[in-house]
Amino acid sequence: AKLHDQRVLFLKRLLLCYAVCGLRYSSEDNGAVTRSFPYPLASAFGHGGRVLLRLDGVNWRTLLGLLLWGEELTDQLDENHMPGPFYIRRAASHGVRFDQRNSHLLETRLHHLSAIGGSHFGMDLPIGGLGNPAPAQQRFGNLYVGPAGVPFRKSWMTKAEQEYVKGMQHGHLYLRWDEFGMASTSTLVSCEDPADSRGASTEGWRPV
């Protein structure tokens, strides 16, 4: 129950972070000019979606501690031994590269051994809400959202424990961190939309 509550609070704080800091998007891959995200914040958590967060003067451990516990408990965060509900992942499909020419962060596609690293974390999430109906599966019948996203079937006729479905996961969050040191940055303004466009601003520490 404790880990479930931590997962839910983490998601709530992350949504608040997006709401306060703002989300921006680019119509081009690694585009330098961005505009305000016009869709509901929840859509940023869609399957396969990736969000880049740039932290200026803030360590990734500080932000992660605030999202996880509501406090700056940075001494409890070790990239080699993450506290629950996080766990360490060994590989990822994408990475982040720093462009020295314009201080711009670029998302890259990783292949083979380059996909393996030590800055990958994961968290399983109860997307849809604990106990709520999960997407229908003809093979398993009516399913319900479990505390870590693994669906279960209710035992209507007995008092036995709920039966969890193996090999199925309805919610997962991937997170990675990258540190690029100190660099000067510049701001780009679009001639088409000067009031609502600027240079890359939602980049860096990256939960996906």
Side-chain angles (χ1 to χ4, degrees):
K2 180 179 178 181
L3 290 180
H4 166 265
D5 293 345
Q6 283 186 313
R7 291 182 175 100
V8 172
L9 287 174
F10 181 91
L11 272 180
K12 289 181 177 180
R13 294 182 184 118
L14 186 56
L15 279 169
L16 286 174
C17 177
Y18 286 177
V20 173
C21 298
L23 277 182
R24 303 182 70 82
Y25 79 101
S26 174
S27 58
E28 301 177 356
D29 291 342
N30 291 319
V33 178
T34 63
R35 293 181 171 82
S36 294
F37 192 67
Y39 309 105
L41 289 178
S43 64
F45 293 92
H47 178 72
R50 293 183 293 276
V51 178
L52 301 180
L53 299 182
R54 188 180 73 194
L55 302 180
D56 295 322
V58 178
N59 188 276
W60 66 269
R61 292 179 180 84
T62 301
L63 177 61
L64 191 56
L66 289 171
L67 294 176
L68 192 55
W69 299 298
E71 301 179 67
E72 297 182 25
L73 301 177
T74 56
D75 58 327
Q76 298 187 28
L77 294 172
D78 181 357
E79 55 265 33
N80 297 315
H81 183 72
M82 290 294 290
F86 276 108
Y87 55 84
I88 295 177
R89 286 180 41 164
R90 295 303 179 189
S93 60
H94 291 75
V96 179
R97 179 172 63 85
F98 183 68
D99 190 340
Q100 294 282 356
R101 297 171 300 175
N102 55 16
S103 298
H104 186 54
L105 291 171
L106 306 175
E107 187 178 53
T108 61
R109 182 77 178 181
L110 301 177
H111 301 280
H112 307 298
L113 292 179
S114 65
I116 302 175
S119 59
H120 311 300
F121 309 134
M123 179 193 293
D124 294 328
L125 301 170
I127 298 297
L130 177 61
N132 288 330
Q137 297 285 338
Q138 184 175 3
R139 176 183 173 187
F140 300 104
N142 295 328
L143 298 177
Y144 300 86
V145 178
V150 178
F152 64 88
R153 288 183 288 195
K154 292 184 177 180
S155 301
W156 296 105
M157 303 302 295
T158 68
K159 295 183 179 180
E161 294 183 358
Q162 312 297 357
E163 180 185 357
Y164 288 87
V165 178
K166 296 182 179 180
M168 190 180 298
Q169 175 68 45
H170 280 149
H172 179 74
L173 177 96
Y174 164 74
L175 180 149
R176 68 171 292 135
W177 61 268
D178 294 278
E179 293 179 330
F180 299 101
M182 299 182 63
S184 60
T185 59
S186 59
T187 300
L188 301 178
V189 177
S190 168
C191 294
E192 298 178 358
D193 189 8
D196 195 31
S197 300
R198 62 169 181 251
S201 60
T202 55
E203 306 173 325
W205 183 88
R206 170 194 163 194
V208 180

